[in-house]
Structure formats: C-alpha cells, structure tokens
Amino acid sequence: MRDQLEDIQKHLDDGYGRAQHLNRVELPKRFYKEVAAGPLEGGFTVTLDGRQARTPALKVPVLVPAAAIATAMAAEWAAQGKVIDPGTMPTVRLINSALESGETSIPAFRDEIVKFAGGDLLLYRADSPQPLVAEQERHWDKALVEIARHFGVSFQPTFAIQHQPQPQTTLERLAAALEGEHLLTLTAMVSMTGLTGSGLLTLGYWHRLLDVEQIWAAAHVDEDYQIGQWGQDDEAAARRALRRVEFDTAVAVLEAMRG
C-alpha cells in the first residue's frame, strides 16, 4: 500500500514540489496583475495578464473542459499575494499534474485505482477491540453492499494481515467501469483514492452510491477510533485539515466533470 501511495504522489506532483518542500525554499514572486477565466476553442482557460496560463514544468497550455474548473483555478491565482505559494493552490496543482501527465497516463491511472480496490481499506477488518469492529461494520458494510450490487461483483474481506486476493471477475468489472473516463476525472479519482486509501470509496462516489461525508467518515474510522481513545494532537489535526482541502478539491473537479 505504501508503494501505491508513493506512486500516486509522483503522478500528482505538479512540478512545484510538495508543500513540505516549499516551506524550505524561496517562493517565486507574483509576476502578473490581472487574472481571468473564459472560453477558448476546445474548452476553457485561465489567463494571466491576458496570456494563457501554462503548467510549470512542461509549459503545457492550460485548457480544461469545464468552466467551473477554470474559474476555480483563476480564483487561486488571483488570491496570491506578493509570492506564489502552490500549497494554497490545490486546484491549480491537481490540473497541472493532469495536463503534464498527459493522455498516455490514462491506463496507469485506471490501473492504480483498481489496484487499490484489490487491496482496499474496506476489505481489511479488525477482529478487536469490539468498539472498533462495530465502527468498521457501521461505516464499511453498507458501502461494500452498495458497490457490490451496483457493479454485480463480490468481495472477500479478511481479518488477516497478509494480502487477500479479490476475485478476478470483480477486478475486471471495476476496471471496465473506468473505461472512457476523461484524464481530469481519473486524476481527481487517483487523488481521492490516495487520500482515502480506498479505490472502492472513490468508485462509489463517482457512481453516486456514496456521498462526500460518508466517504470521509469511512476513510477515517481507524483514525477516529484512536482519537477517541487517546485524543488528537495539533500536528495530526493540521495534517488532516490539509488532506480535507485536497479531498474537497478532487470532489469539486469530479463534480465539474459530470457536466
């Protein structure tokens, strides 16, 4: 699972570097005055002083299929002060990562989501203590049933630590459900998968089987149980808040891509 998360972070790196690294380097100065979002042949774009925005590393022109995404990106650019802090620009980072990854990354993104689903958070259960078992059942059982019914598949949850293979037909049907999805959709789904540790929750959201708060709660059952037992320190709370921002950004992009 750790290797999968590292792969996802590589996919989602927008060329500016991770937020932690940015804390140790000098941020670039703002080089523009006016920001706008609007239509352009083939979609929508963001302009900085009238010039089409480009991605930081490969200089790919920013062109997206939904006006809401361009508007969100423009708002993040406009909100920058004297310096540009990519850590405060989650939509820009997500879209830049997609554009720099390119269409050739689509199969790898689909495979990553299915790989997570094959060793999913929802499938590895605690056998004790009973309060944690009950919380996992409360948040995870209904989600698994909804997903299994929708896709016509079965799952094999386990209490063991070692990997429990899922039926090949299940993985094939989940993979088929991702065929034909847009690059930006898949990029947002990969982000959500990495943040929740669950390809199944991500698929459940995209197919309208689960809502945002159900997914967030299900993804944090174990963490919330530990908080209930031992409390939460400020650093952990801050990390969770940052994850929620990234999660909400992925949700917003997915909603915009629904059309």
Side-chain angles (χ1 to χ4, degrees):
M1 188 66 74
R2 181 177 298 174
D3 289 344
Q4 294 172 5
L5 284 167
E6 289 175 353
D7 289 344
I8 281 182
Q9 296 302 339
K10 289 177 183 178
H11 286 314
L12 297 180
D13 187 356
D14 68 344
Y16 284 115
R18 306 304 301 160
Q20 294 88 342
H21 175 65
L22 290 168
N23 290 331
R24 301 193 299 268
V25 300
E26 184 178 355
L27 296 172
K29 294 181 179 179
R30 178 166 173 159
F31 56 87
Y32 55 90
K33 294 182 179 180
E34 301 296 327
V35 182
L40 188 67
E41 184 177 358
F44 301 87
T45 193
V46 175
T47 57
L48 306 175
D49 290 340
R51 298 176 181 175
Q52 186 176 11
R54 293 176 178 268
T55 65
L58 301 181
K59 307 303 179 185
V60 179
V62 172
L63 187 67
V64 296
I69 296 175
T71 299
M73 296 177 72
E76 291 176 1
W77 279 109
Q80 300 303 298
K82 293 182 179 180
V83 296
I84 300 171
D85 181 359
T88 65
M89 305 171 75
T91 311
V92 170
R93 288 187 284 108
L94 187 67
I95 300 308
N96 282 347
S97 73
L99 296 177
E100 294 203 340
S101 295
E103 299 288 331
T104 57
S105 295
I106 286 177
F109 284 8
R110 288 198 303 254
D111 289 348
E112 199 68 35
I113 297 166
V114 174
K115 186 188 299 183
F116 260 82
D120 207 82
L121 170 75
L122 305 188
L123 301 175
Y124 287 81
R125 304 300 185 92
D127 56 8
S128 65
Q130 186 55 39
L132 175 57
V133 172
E135 282 298 288
Q136 289 182 346
E137 291 175 347
R138 185 167 73 90
H139 287 281
W140 296 355
D141 286 0
K142 182 180 178 181
L144 275 181
V145 169
E146 292 286 345
I147 294 166
R149 286 176 177 171
H150 181 80
F151 294 108
V153 298
S154 62
F155 298 106
Q156 296 178 359
T158 181
F159 296 103
I161 297 176
Q162 60 265 39
H163 177 63
Q164 170 64 54
Q166 298 303 306
Q168 186 61 32
T169 55
T170 293
L171 300 180
E172 290 172 356
R173 289 186 183 182
L174 296 179
L178 293 168
E179 289 291 337
E181 298 292 2
H182 193 280
L183 172 63
L184 297 193
T185 299
L186 290 169
T187 303
M189 291 180 75
V190 166
S191 179
M192 183 180 287
T193 297
L195 291 163
T196 62
S198 175
L200 294 180
L201 289 175
T202 298
L203 283 163
Y205 178 76
W206 182 238
H207 286 263
R208 300 184 187 276
L209 307 177
L210 306 168
D211 65 33
V212 169
E213 295 308 323
Q214 281 179 295
I215 292 172
W216 189 253
H220 292 85
V221 169
D222 292 1
E223 182 178 322
D224 287 341
Y225 174 78
Q226 294 299 326
I227 291 171
Q229 295 297 302
W230 310 107
Q232 184 178 50
D233 61 49
D234 292 342
E235 185 176 343
R239 287 197 302 269
R240 181 160 171 165
L242 288 173
R243 292 199 310 272
R244 184 62 197 243
V245 170
E246 300 291 337
F247 177 81
D248 288 342
T249 298
V251 167
V253 169
L254 288 174
E255 288 305 307
M257 293 301 294
R258 290 191 194 276

